Amino acid sequence: MSWVTDWKKLLTQDEDDSAAAFSENDNKARTVDDYANTLKGLINMRRVVCILKGLSFPQSRDKMPRGSTIDIYWVVDDGGICLLMSYILSRSTVWRAGVKIRVFVVLTDADENPQVVEHAVVDFLQQMRIDAVVITVDLQNASLQDDFRADPWDKNCPSGVPTLTVCEKFGLKKGGDDDDLTVASSLASYTYGGLPSPCNGSKPFWHNSCMPCTLESTPPTFPTVNNMPFDNNHERGSMMRQRQKQQPRCLSLGTAKKFNNLIRRHSSPASLVVTHLPLLHKASESVDFMEYVETMMNHMNNVLLILGTGVEYLTTVA
C-alpha cells in the first residue's frame, strides 16, 4: 500500500464556509477512517502489511548509484520480515549494483549491553547469509518498543503482532554482574502455546535439566495468567505480573519525535529506511495513528513500514 500523502488536507476545514465545509470535512474524515479500517482488516486477516511512504522511489528501469544504503531500524521481533524484505530489494536489478544494508538495532533498556547485542545480531545475520553492517543505537526512556509490540493480555491486540524486543528474541538477559549479559537461548526460536521459548532453541519449551532433550517429551501443566501458559521461573512470572499492572499504552507523539530525530541523525542520506508499522489498535482514533506515522517519518524521503503476521520468516533450521 502507499501512504496517503495529503491526508491532512482531507481534514482541513474552511472556517469561512462553516456549514458546507463541515459537511465536506465530515465525509473526508471518513476517508481517513476507511484507510485505517483497510489496515485493520488486513491485520485481522493476518496478512503482511507494507506501506511505502516516499517521494522519489526508484522505478524498475533505474539503477541505484554505488554507496546507496537500505537502513533497517530493528526494534521488535517481527519474525525477520523487515530483514527479509530489505534483502530481497537489495538483490533486485535496481539495487544490487552497489547497495549496502545497514541494520540499526534500537536499544530501549538500560540493561541492554550494546556489544553483546551487536555480536548476537551479527552472528544471526551470518547464519542467514545476509551481508549487512550492524549498528546499535540508544533510545532509552521513550518506550518506543511498546508502540510496535503488544502485551499478551491485551484484549484489543490482533493475533500475530510482535510481543518481543530484539534482545528478548535472542534471549539476552541480565547476568550476575551489572555488566554481564548472557545469551540464554540459541538464535533459532521455537514456540509453545503461542509464547516464545525461553530455553535453547534446540530444546522444547518444557525442557529442563532433569528431562531429555527430545521433541517427543510430554509438556507438563503450567500455571496460567489470564489463561496464558508460562513456566515456573520466578523472574518470568514476576515480569508478567508487573506488566499486568500497567495500563494499556497509547501511541505517543513525543516518542515518534524522538524516533524521528534518531533516524534523521543516522539515515538522512539513506536511499530507503525500513522499520516497523506502529500498532494501529493503540491509537484512540484513526487521525492519531496517521499523525504518529507522519511525525515518525517527518523529513524522510523513502520509508517502508512493515507489520508481519507472527510467522518466523527467517530461520536457522533447514
Side-chain angles (χ1 to χ4, degrees):
M1 297 179 62
S2 61
W3 181 250
V4 183
T5 56
D6 60 345
W7 70 270
K8 288 186 177 181
K9 294 181 180 179
L10 301 181
L11 301 176
T12 301
Q13 179 175 342
D14 187 357
E15 298 179 356
D16 297 333
D17 193 4
S18 58
F22 178 82
S23 177
E24 182 182 4
N25 186 68
D26 184 57
N27 292 332
K28 290 180 177 178
R30 284 199 297 270
T31 302
V32 174
D33 289 334
D34 287 343
Y35 184 82
N37 289 334
T38 300
L39 292 178
K40 288 179 181 179
L42 293 172
I43 295 171
N44 290 335
M45 290 188 295
R46 300 195 69 171
R47 298 292 189 267
V48 174
V49 178
C50 299
I51 297 180
L52 178 62
K53 181 180 183 294
L55 299 176
S56 58
F57 197 75
Q59 303 299 312
S60 58
R61 64 182 180 276
D62 297 334
K63 301 291 182 182
M64 297 303 295
R66 289 191 175 275
S68 301
T69 62
I70 298 178
D71 288 357
I72 307 167
Y73 282 80
W74 203 13
V75 184
V76 295
D77 176 23
D78 57 357
I81 185 63
C82 284
L83 295 171
L84 179 60
M85 291 295 293
S86 301
Y87 175 76
I88 292 174
L89 282 173
S90 71
R91 305 308 298 167
S92 70
T93 56
V94 176
W95 297 85
R96 68 184 306 167
V99 69
K100 178 170 63 176
I101 297 178
R102 301 192 299 179
V103 179
F104 291 86
V105 184
V106 182
L107 306 181
T108 57
D109 195 303
D111 290 339
E112 295 169 347
N113 187 310
Q115 289 75 27
V116 175
V117 174
E118 179 180 343
H119 177 76
V121 175
V122 168
D123 192 17
F124 174 74
L125 293 178
Q126 287 177 347
Q127 293 189 46
M128 296 298 105
R129 295 192 289 271
I130 296 178
D131 185 15
V133 176
V134 178
I135 304 170
T136 57
V137 290
D138 184 18
L139 193 63
Q140 299 177 22
N141 303 321
S143 300
L144 176 67
Q145 70 280 9
D146 293 329
D147 291 342
F148 300 120
R149 70 171 181 178
D151 292 312
W153 54 86
D154 187 349
K155 296 181 180 180
N156 297 322
C157 170
S159 59
V161 302
T163 58
L164 302 176
T165 64
V166 174
C167 283
E168 291 168 343
K169 169 186 175 65
F170 293 122
L172 302 178
K173 63 180 182 179
K174 194 73 172 176
D177 298 327
D178 289 343
D179 295 327
D180 181 24
L181 280 166
T182 58
V183 179
S185 66
S186 74
L187 300 178
S189 63
Y190 288 83
T191 61
Y192 172 72
L195 291 176
S197 169
C199 67
N200 187 286
S202 61
K203 304 181 179 68
F205 177 82
W206 52 89
H207 172 84
N208 59 38
S209 58
C210 300
M211 298 177 63
C213 180
T214 61
L215 292 176
E216 289 76 18
S217 302
T218 302
T221 302
F222 290 107
T224 61
V225 173
N226 285 1
N227 297 321
M228 297 290 294
F230 70 104
D231 61 331
N232 288 316
N233 183 277
H234 174 74
E235 180 181 355
R236 182 177 175 85
S238 175
M239 180 179 64
M240 181 168 284
R241 287 191 295 271
Q242 181 179 4
R243 285 187 176 180
Q244 278 186 291
K245 297 178 182 178
Q246 298 177 352
Q247 296 296 323
R249 171 183 165 82
C250 296
L251 297 179
S252 168
L253 287 183
T255 300
K257 291 178 181 177
K258 292 180 180 179
F259 192 30
N260 175 255
N261 290 335
L262 179 72
I263 295 175
R264 291 170 61 186
R265 187 182 315 133
H266 295 281
S267 301
S268 290
S271 301
L272 177 65
V273 172
V274 181
T275 191
H276 315 285
L277 181 71
L279 298 185
L280 182 57
H281 79 279
K282 291 196 173 187
S284 56
E285 297 182 4
S286 303
V287 175
D288 296 335
F289 170 79
M290 305 292 282
E291 186 68 40
Y292 184 96
V293 174
E294 194 72 38
T295 302
M296 184 177 77
M297 296 292 102
N298 190 29
H299 298 300
M300 297 303 301
N301 192 8
N302 294 319
V303 180
L304 183 61
L305 303 175
I306 304 176
L307 179 63
T309 62
V311 176
E312 193 68 30
Y313 298 93
L314 296 176
T315 177
T316 56
V317 180

